[in-house]
Amino acid sequence: MYFKKIETKGIAHFSYMLGDGEHIAVIDPRRDVGVYMDEARKAGMRIKYIFETHRNEDHVTGSIELSEKTGARVYISGHEDLGHSYGEKIRDGFEVEIGDLKLRAMHTPGHTLGHLSYVLYEKDYERAYMVFTGDCLFMGDVGRTDLYGEEKLEEMTRLLYESIFDKLLVLGDEVLIFPAHGQGSACGESMDDRPYSTLGYEREHSKIFQFKTKEDFIEYFSRMRLKPRYFEKMEEMNVEGAAFVGKDLILNPLSFKEFQDIKDKALLLDIRTREAYIGGHIPGSIYMSKKNISAYLGAIFKTDQKIIFIVDNNIKDLEEIYWYSRRIGFDNIAGFLENGAQKWEGSGRELEKVNTISAKEYINTKFNEDFILLDVRKKGEINEEDPDKNRINIPLQNIHKEYKRLDLKLPIYVLCSSGDRSAIGYSYIKSKGYDARLITGGTGMIRALKKD
């Protein structure tokens, strides 16, 4: 048996290759599909089947491109008609044999109405070996059930409960589970960070199996969650089919003149260190660390936005950041400006510095003026020890929708747990003309100071 787990960092996405004999099936391929062909070639095998568990919301799917390049047949759920331009529709119980393996579709609605899981059997054995659970069941968490709106929330959560407890769990405790996402994905809230698990292990250790009744499960998980801005675009691209990306890195260095000519019509993403951004940045640029590109770029900005990356002389992360962006639908990448801060100063212009205040200074300051404390964390992260005077909570994912709640006349102190998200929030509202101040150290430092 051939088996390979492909982890796509940034979006915490997992896809899988499994096969036997001459052929391989790929489950939930990512947008840049070269990795699957490379791995199949190394194994001396041919990709023959492509299976999707559901229409993905958090990244662009690569099924069409992989199918065109390999001749593999694509299978999608026939339990929901979303208007796909591709794929053969299959239903519960559909099977394919791959050498001495058998892969069977299982309808597991809840995250979406048409969601399919895929159960793997070794030929001539009716006991399941593996199950690929998509966005139905994660390690330590379940898929979100709010994608159809509040009016469908209870119904979808009930379906999810029945899929997990009445279908997946009966496969057996020894069955290995392979979800479509890991810790950090926008498709769940509190996934456990472990590479492998079984249904039995989850039954014993995951909080989702500690609910005694269906009603308790529904009450806990029936809630609307923050929906990143780009989800709707991903849903559209994953039905109509997105442009192919191939394996080439289309990322050109820009001269300073080229940069000047297009900068006013582009999103300037400063991907240097937070310290470098604080020390001096091109006015109007938005700070975005590599670890937060996938989580917040698509949440805050439209996917058709033209992007210029601002970097220093260290461009080793650019390739990764490029693919992070393309995987969530940002295709209009104009290029990058190397040593951008130096070139800006070299042209006779001044860099802008971040107006900062340390966590210690903030909690010790007796303010003699009106101000706003902008907390960009999710509500669930806030506790009673955190500063609350004049606090307005706008989770960073919603900053583009709610920043106008802030008073332009008042200074705004931006806070998160460590300072990274607040630096993004600071740069965003600063670009909108607000008098922003960044609280360095965040609530982590504030809580530590209070313990001393």
Side-chain angles (χ1 to χ4, degrees):
M1 175 184 171
Y2 173 86
F3 179 81
K4 187 83 175 179
K5 175 183 175 181
I6 306 294
E7 180 178 359
T8 305
K9 294 181 179 179
I11 53 175
H13 169 248
F14 301 143
S15 53
Y16 302 94
M17 303 175 69
L18 58 129
D20 190 54
E22 299 177 352
H23 297 135
I24 289 174
V26 177
I27 298 175
D28 287 332
R30 71 189 191 193
R31 188 179 192 184
D32 43 314
V33 298
V35 62
Y36 307 107
M37 294 182 289
D38 289 344
E39 293 296 336
R41 185 174 60 253
K42 291 175 191 175
M45 301 170 75
R46 177 80 178 266
I47 297 172
K48 189 174 182 180
Y49 309 104
I50 301 166
F51 292 91
E52 292 189 10
T53 56
H54 65 294
R55 178 193 62 186
N56 281 284
E57 302 85 19
D58 69 308
H59 68 280
V60 182
T61 299
S63 298
I64 301 178
E65 184 168 357
L66 185 58
S67 174
E68 286 211 7
K69 290 182 173 178
T70 63
R73 182 171 291 181
V74 180
Y75 297 102
I76 63 173
S77 175
H79 291 276
E80 183 178 18
D81 187 3
L82 297 171
H84 277 83
S85 65
Y86 67 94
E88 179 180 329
K89 292 183 177 180
I90 60 174
R91 298 181 69 84
D92 188 80
F94 175 85
E95 293 182 355
V96 294
E97 291 188 359
I98 311 168
D100 287 334
L101 303 174
K102 181 167 58 179
L103 194 64
R104 180 182 297 162
M106 175 187 284
H107 185 212
T108 49
H111 176 63
T112 65
L113 287 169
H115 191 285
L116 294 173
S117 296
Y118 295 100
V119 188
L120 184 71
Y121 300 85
E122 291 183 297
K123 202 169 182 181
D124 300 327
Y125 291 91
E126 278 305 308
R127 296 283 293 179
Y129 177 29
M130 300 177 174
V131 60
F132 301 87
T133 56
D135 282 26
C136 176
L137 176 64
F138 301 123
M139 295 174 194
D141 202 1
V142 298
R144 57 192 297 167
T145 58
D146 62 329
L147 297 177
Y148 294 83
E150 197 161 2
E151 66 279 4
K152 290 278 191 181
L153 191 54
E154 186 173 330
E155 175 191 346
M156 296 303 294
T157 310
R158 176 182 57 78
L159 287 172
L160 187 68
Y161 177 93
E162 293 167 356
S163 293
I164 293 170
F165 286 82
D166 299 341
K167 295 182 178 181
L168 291 176
L169 280 187
V170 299
L171 292 173
D173 282 352
E174 72 280 8
V175 176
L176 295 161
I177 68 166
F178 294 97
H181 295 286
Q183 191 178 70
S185 168
C187 295
E189 278 190 338
S190 55
M191 300 177 202
D192 291 334
D193 186 17
R194 52 178 174 265
Y196 302 102
S197 189
T198 64
L199 288 172
Y201 190 89
E202 294 300 309
R203 188 199 298 269
E204 288 294 320
H205 298 280
S206 173
K207 67 177 182 299
I208 68 176
F209 295 110
Q210 310 314 313
F211 295 98
K212 303 301 181 186
T213 67
K214 181 188 295 188
E215 289 70 28
D216 289 341
F217 180 95
I218 292 172
E219 183 180 357
Y220 183 82
F221 286 108
S222 289
R223 60 183 183 275
M224 298 300 292
R225 308 185 189 185
L226 295 174
K227 187 176 181 180
R229 190 177 196 174
Y230 75 108
F231 269 29
E232 290 183 7
K233 185 63 176 179
M234 296 301 93
E235 291 169 358
E236 177 186 316
M237 294 174 81
N238 287 334
V239 166
E240 298 175 357
F244 292 178
V245 296
K247 295 174 69 175
D248 295 329
L249 191 72
I250 307 171
L251 187 60
N252 297 312
L254 300 175
S255 69
F256 191 72
K257 184 181 184 310
E258 289 173 320
F259 171 76
Q260 284 180 294
D261 290 343
I262 62 175
K263 70 178 180 64
D264 293 336
K265 296 180 180 179
L267 171 61
L268 310 182
L269 278 188
D270 193 320
I271 57 173
R272 299 175 300 152
T273 66
R274 185 173 69 213
E275 293 73 21
Y277 183 84
I278 288 173
H281 57 271
I282 295 173
S285 60
I286 304 294
Y287 167 73
M288 191 79 68
S289 63
K290 184 178 86 167
K291 70 177 183 178
N292 281 325
I293 286 276
S294 298
Y296 298 110
L297 178 60
I300 300 172
F301 300 100
K302 292 183 178 180
T303 55
D304 60 359
Q305 178 74 61
K306 181 181 290 186
I307 293 175
I308 299 173
F309 295 115
I310 309 296
V311 298
D312 50 25
N313 59 2
N314 182 2
I315 61 173
K316 64 181 179 63
D317 289 335
L318 258 181
E319 181 172 350
E320 236 179 321
I321 290 171
Y322 171 85
W323 285 117
Y324 282 8
S325 305
R326 297 297 304 273
R327 287 168 186 153
I328 58 174
F330 285 83
D331 291 342
N332 193 4
I333 298 175
F336 66 96
L337 183 66
E338 189 175 3
N339 290 319
Q342 293 92 320
K343 288 177 180 175
W344 185 262
E345 285 188 311
S347 69
R349 297 167 173 85
E350 288 192 9
L351 294 172
E352 194 171 80
K353 297 182 188 299
V354 173
N355 192 349
T356 63
I357 181 172
S358 74
K360 184 175 183 178
E361 290 173 318
Y362 182 81
I363 61 176
N364 289 332
T365 297
K366 296 187 183 302
F367 291 96
N368 297 317
E369 59 178 353
D370 286 337
F371 69 95
I372 293 171
L373 175 63
L374 172 60
D375 192 327
V376 297
R377 296 172 297 162
K378 294 179 181 178
K379 286 183 179 179
E381 297 178 72
I382 300 172
N383 68 36
E384 59 185 18
E385 299 174 8
D386 298 332
D388 60 1
K389 184 178 181 181
N390 299 343
R391 181 171 64 201
I392 294 179
N393 177 223
I394 302 178
L396 187 55
Q397 293 92 331
N398 286 350
I399 195 77
H400 67 285
K401 293 191 295 186
E402 299 185 36
Y403 74 90
K404 290 183 180 178
R405 290 169 53 192
L406 306 172
D407 191 334
L408 265 171
K409 299 174 184 176
L410 297 180
I412 298 168
Y413 293 85
V414 191
L415 178 72
C416 73
S417 59
S418 66
D420 210 59
R421 283 177 292 172
S422 54
I424 299 172
Y426 168 96
S427 64
Y428 185 83
I429 65 169
K430 184 72 175 177
S431 73
K432 299 296 182 182
Y434 287 86
D435 178 13
R437 325 278 176 89
L438 176 65
I439 302 174
T440 60
T443 57
M445 185 175 179
I446 289 172
R447 291 174 192 174
L449 288 168
K450 287 183 176 181
K451 288 179 182 178
D452 291 342

